[in-house]
Amino acid sequence: MSDFPFSIPRREAATTNPFNHIQTNVHGGVYIYDVPQWNGSNEVKLTALSGLTITPTSSSQKVVLDLSILGEWNNHPMSGNISLERVVGGSSTFLDNRGASGLNARMPVNAVFGLTFYNDENSTTIETLSTTFVDTPNTTAEVTYNVYLKTQTDAANIKFFLNRCVDDSNANFNERATSTFTVECKGD
């Protein structure tokens, strides 16, 4: 019997939502990607930031994806963009608007790179892409997320240099960067 005229609520164990991340910088490896003009299906997997997994605890949970990419396109940076892919049990779904009615020949994207120009040169001015996307995977199975680079330009030899400038000489105007991809489940 308690001396208190009321009951003391018991603490419930705190629960945390699933969270995962990938963080990469140039010291972890040099990542240079050849990116051909997009033809409807030839996006290039950004391997350094792909393969991020999370397992929702309920099929009603949303998954918040936060992506920050830094790097430099060697040509036509205004044409660079990304698409996100969800893979569940071997089944792949792109999270952009491909297949939407009226899209026709337009390129589906999840995000585009912000442009930074210095005298229109493409060797010492890093570009950035930051985006947040909310996914509804409707599953409690493990979900894998991948990032794909695309470009619409038909210029030859388009390359993306992740976490660095094209010109990587030892000078204070050649940035080095860290790119991050995080996923977190939200809701019950």
Side-chain angles (χ1 to χ4, degrees), residues 50-166:
S50 290
L52 187 57
T53 61
I54 195 162
T55 305
T57 57
S58 140
S59 62
S60 63
Q61 283 190 315
K62 308 285 188 213
V63 179
V64 179
L65 294 79
D66 283 311
L67 179 63
S68 174
I69 301 174
L70 294 101
E72 188 169 33
W73 293 89
N74 70 328
N75 200 348
H76 290 268
M78 70 293 255
S79 299
N81 60 78
I82 62 107
S83 283
L84 299 168
E85 177 194 40
R86 172 196 333 121
V87 180
V88 179
S91 178
S92 168
T93 304
F94 276 92
L95 302 177
D96 56 27
N97 57 350
R98 68 185 68 195
S101 175
L103 187 63
N104 300 322
R106 295 174 187 91
M107 181 183 299
V109 302
N110 283 110
V112 297
F113 283 82
L115 300 180
T116 309
F117 282 107
Y118 174 70
N119 293 336
D120 291 331
E121 62 83 30
N122 294 306
S123 63
T124 64
T125 307
I126 211 160
E127 285 101 38
T128 62
L129 180 146
S130 293
T131 190
T132 299
F133 185 87
V134 179
D135 185 27
T136 309
N138 296 316
T139 186
T140 56
E142 181 179 80
V143 181
T144 301
Y145 290 99
N146 297 311
V147 180
Y148 286 85
L149 293 167
K150 298 191 312 267
T151 185
Q152 71 225 32
T153 185
D154 61 356
N157 301 314
I158 298 293
K159 295 183 185 312
F160 181 71
F161 295 74
L162 181 65
N163 296 325
R164 58 167 269 201
C165 295
V166 172

Side-chain angles (χ1 to χ4, degrees), residues 15 22 25 30 43 49 88 92 97 126 132 143 169 173 184:
T15 59
I22 295 174
N25 59 46
V30 175
E43 45 273 297
L49 291 172
V88 179
S92 168
N97 57 350
I126 211 160
T132 299
V143 181
S169 61
F173 51 80
E184 183 175 10

